[in-house]
Amino acid sequence: MKTQITFKKAPLAIALLATLSFPVWAEDDHGHDHDAAPSKSESHTQENHDDHDAHDNHGDNASRHDHQDEHGEPEESGVTLTPEQQAMLNLQVITLQPQQNATQTLTVPAEITSNQYRTWVVPVRIDSQVQARSASLGQHMKKGEPIATLFSPAMAELQSELQVAADAWRRVNNLGRRTVGNQRYLDAQSQYQSLRARAKGYGLDDAAIRAIESGKSEKGIYTLTAPDDGLVLEDAFQQGQWLTAGSELVTLVDESELWAEAALPPSPGLHIPTGTTARVLIGDTVVEGEVIQSGHRLNPVTRTLSVRVAVPNAGHLLHPGMFADVALSLSAPENALTVPEEALTRGSDGGWQLFVEEASGYYQPMEIELSGQLGGQRIVTGIEPGKRVVTRGAFFLASEMAKSGFDIHNH
């Protein structure tokens, strides 16, 4: 060893001189050293390489041991917190208990529509010409208010006949059946009642009929009036226009009560009984309503079930055509388990999960399913009663799980 260290420190000129002076020894010694040195170097290198492989193999085995159970399956990961960390997060844990006789809320999309039971289409009953209009689109009308004034030759004929029949009936009725005879009495009565019924069929109200009978109406001219309170929703007529019998003059809608047509997804066993309370939500506006009809056949286009909710419309806040959400209050499943919204987080695969307290300070995620809403809480399935789940602080635990998933060694 000492000779080698000295040799390594000798100047290059001395080494060259020694080589030239003893060629045979130098060659033999050189050849011996050349053969031996590589062998020793190779042995040392191989030894180091084997040690390195052994170290790597040991490291791999330790990694697998850390992240696999005795059956070779990956262990489920969790989060461990110290008491100080729990206090800092203000971590809260609840015990899942089944709910008895509870109700759940089902929220579905809906559209506000006119109440078809309080909607009137006002047509012309005989061929007529519009003389003047008194109603305009969007106007709120009271019962008996004029809609339009029209002229019709058929109305002029009716007015003349009704005036004559009314006079004849008054005379006969005043004289009495015994005086004029039974047949004449019945004929006058029948003629008068028939013409009066025809006038009603033409759309005249009692006031207009009385004016005809007293001779105070202008021949051929008559006025159609609103059959009830309502909003003019449609009016497709113009002054001077000739309208055939049956043509729609206006459509009136009583907006004091509207409908919300809700669309429910098809679900076996789902039944919405009549009288179920419902809340109609349009932005920040909330109106209480009640289910009045529940469909039994799916819409062939949307594949949804229609539920009709009657909605009071005080102050005319709502209008047909608006989109809304309807929150239906339904009986919850027996022994339903509920958690607050803050307890729910998303797992790595996007599914819903809860963090279960397996031991003091140790929390493990568990995948669950949502099956409805109960008041301000969500109904969960796939977990047993009695489990202790994290409510406040669940988001932090999910964040820690997500961060550990990006660590290459999952430490």
Side-chain angles (χ1 to χ4, degrees):
M1 180 66 70
K2 183 177 181 180
T3 304
Q4 291 176 351
I5 292 173
T6 304
F7 179 76
K8 289 179 180 179
K9 292 181 179 180
L12 180 60
I14 299 174
L16 180 60
L17 179 61
T19 303
L20 295 175
S21 300
F22 306 98
V24 176
W25 174 83
E27 182 179 356
D28 293 343
D29 188 59
H30 177 71
H32 176 74
D33 291 342
H34 182 271
D35 294 337
S39 176
K40 186 175 181 180
S41 176
E42 290 174 3
S43 175
H44 178 71
T45 303
Q46 183 66 31
E47 181 180 355
N48 291 341
H49 181 70
D50 293 341
D51 290 344
H52 180 69
D53 289 345
H55 176 73
D56 287 347
N57 291 335
H58 176 73
D60 292 342
N61 292 335
S63 177
R64 285 192 294 270
H65 177 73
D66 288 342
H67 302 289
Q68 293 183 359
D69 60 15
E70 60 182 1
H71 300 291
E73 296 294 333
E75 294 181 352
E76 295 183 359
S77 57
V79 179
T80 302
L81 299 179
T82 65
E84 292 77 12
Q85 291 172 323
Q86 297 176 43
M88 180 181 65
L89 291 173
N90 193 19
L91 202 74
Q92 292 185 1
V93 180
I94 63 171
T95 301
L96 292 181
Q97 298 292 343
Q99 303 289 329
Q100 302 291 337
N101 301 323
T103 58
Q104 63 176 322
T105 301
L106 177 64
T107 303
V108 293
E111 180 181 358
I112 304 300
T113 64
S114 301
N115 184 338
Q116 297 300 313
Y117 299 156
R118 301 181 68 86
T119 299
W120 295 266
V121 174
V122 182
V124 292
R125 317 293 178 85
I126 51 178
D127 294 350
S128 304
Q129 183 185 34
V130 179
Q131 298 290 302
R133 61 182 303 157
S134 304
S136 57
L137 190 65
Q139 178 182 347
H140 289 274
M141 305 195 70
K142 298 293 184 180
K143 181 178 180 179
E145 287 187 338
I147 295 174
T149 300
L150 306 101
F151 167 79
S152 172
M155 179 59 71
E157 182 181 350
L158 171 68
Q159 289 168 333
S160 297
E161 294 177 358
L162 178 57
Q163 184 177 358
V164 172
D167 289 339
W169 167 243
R170 278 194 294 271
R171 287 195 305 272
V172 170
N173 191 40
N174 290 334
L175 293 173
R177 185 191 301 247
R178 182 173 299 179
T179 303
V180 299
N182 187 59
Q183 186 62 44
R184 183 181 174 188
Y185 183 91
L186 293 177
D187 288 345
Q189 184 185 48
S190 176
Q191 180 70 9
Y192 169 69
Q193 291 177 345
S194 176
L195 291 171
R196 184 179 176 86
R198 192 195 304 178
K200 281 187 172 292
Y202 286 176
L204 301 183
D205 57 17
D206 290 337
I209 293 175
R210 287 196 296 269
I212 294 173
E213 293 174 355
S214 62
K216 296 179 180 179
S217 63
E218 185 179 355
K219 292 297 185 283
I221 303 298
Y222 69 103
T223 300
L224 292 180
T225 59
D228 207 337
D229 296 352
L231 172 76
V232 179
L233 192 64
E234 297 178 5
D235 64 338
F237 70 97
Q238 298 176 349
Q239 295 182 137
Q241 182 179 0
W242 273 96
L243 301 174
T244 59
S247 298
E248 294 183 9
L249 199 62
V250 296
T251 300
L252 296 178
V253 177
D254 181 2
E255 286 196 324
S256 62
E257 182 181 88
L258 299 176
W259 287 347
E261 300 281 359
L264 273 66
S267 178
L270 179 61
H271 175 64
I272 312 297
T274 301
T276 299
T277 59
R279 288 184 302 145
V280 179
L281 315 172
I282 302 179
D284 296 331
T285 302
V286 180
V287 182
E288 299 293 332
E290 181 180 296
V291 173
I292 58 173
Q293 289 180 351
S294 181
H296 297 278
R297 177 180 294 181
L298 294 181
N299 186 302
V301 177
T302 63
R303 310 304 298 171
T304 56
L305 191 67
S306 177
V307 171
R308 182 171 291 165
V309 178
V311 186
N313 190 29
H316 298 283
L317 297 176
L318 309 180
H319 301 284
M322 286 182 169
F323 291 105
D325 289 323
V326 171
L328 301 169
S329 297
L330 308 176
S331 297
E334 194 67 24
N335 298 324
L337 298 177
T338 63
V339 296
E341 292 279 355
E342 62 180 344
L344 297 168
T345 59
R346 293 282 191 177
S348 58
D349 60 352
W352 291 107
Q353 65 179 10
L354 295 172
F355 278 92
V356 179
E357 186 182 53
E358 298 290 356
S360 180
Y362 178 66
Y363 310 95
Q364 189 170 341
M366 176 179 291
E367 289 192 359
I368 51 89
E369 297 288 338
L370 301 181
S371 63
Q373 189 169 350
L374 187 59
Q377 299 197 339
R378 302 298 294 272
I379 301 175
V380 297
T381 58
I383 188 171
E384 298 178 355
K387 292 284 189 181
R388 289 179 56 78
V389 299
V390 177
T391 54
R392 183 174 298 172
F395 179 76
F396 172 81
L397 297 181
S399 300
E400 289 299 305
M401 291 287 296
K403 287 192 296 184
S404 66
F406 288 103
D407 191 319
I408 197 168
H409 294 294
N410 198 26
H411 289 164

